[in-house]
Amino acid sequence: MGSFREAVEARDADALAGLLADDVVFTSPVAFKPHHGKAVTAAILRAVLRVFEDFRYVGEYTSADDREHVLRFRATVSGREIEGCDLLHFDDTGRIDALTVIVRPLSGLQALADAMNAQFDRVHQEAAAE
């Protein structure tokens, strides 16, 4: 199984979905409640691949037990520069069971929220189809 970083950098949505645990919890920087489950998380990640421009990872940190990973990134969304972190937790089988995204600055977060809100009908349709 490849890494989350490799899958994102390759823009490989199928590989990303393959890394997720069935009961993964996705915590978004723009939603109050977390999303639960592989289908909706995979659909959200596909939407993210559509809205992030010039995406690149700029740092990576791993816990001593290799179950926690922090990936720092930079990107552009609707002309706004953003930076953020993907916080990953891996379960006993090596699948991602928790994914939290943090984004700054506020103007970039607002651009991301607008871009993702425009994707959410499609996200729900894709999640329901899985």
Side-chain angles (χ1 to χ4, degrees):
M1 179 181 345
S3 76
F4 183 85
R5 180 177 182 161
E6 290 167 342
V8 170
E9 289 175 336
R11 303 183 66 79
D12 187 340
D14 292 335
L16 283 170
L19 296 170
L20 302 175
D22 289 339
D23 62 347
V24 64
V25 176
F26 176 76
T27 305
S28 164
V30 299
F32 177 71
K33 294 182 180 180
H35 299 277
H36 296 268
K38 183 176 182 174
V40 69
T41 300
I44 290 168
L45 291 174
R46 287 190 295 272
V48 168
L49 292 175
R50 291 189 294 268
V51 303
F52 276 8
E53 307 156 18
D54 190 31
F55 183 91
R56 64 217 174 270
Y57 282 115
V58 297
E60 184 171 355
Y61 309 92
T62 305
S63 65
D65 65 1
D66 203 38
R67 297 203 41 190
E68 303 269 347
H69 293 250
V70 177
L71 298 165
R72 290 184 53 235
F73 64 82
R74 293 187 184 274
T76 304
V77 176
S78 303
R80 297 283 185 179
E81 294 290 324
I82 64 169
E83 65 178 326
C85 294
D86 292 331
L87 309 175
L88 309 171
H89 183 271
F90 292 82
D91 66 14
D92 292 334
T93 68
R95 301 245 184 254
I96 298 166
D97 63 0
L99 169 57
T100 300
V101 179
I102 299 169
V103 171
R104 67 158 307 278
L106 181 58
S107 62
L109 178 60
Q110 289 170 327
L112 178 59
D114 292 344
M116 289 301 293
N117 283 336
Q119 296 283 322
F120 254 82
D121 285 342
R122 184 173 174 182
V123 166
H124 290 297
Q125 291 171 351
E126 288 178 5
E130 287 192 30

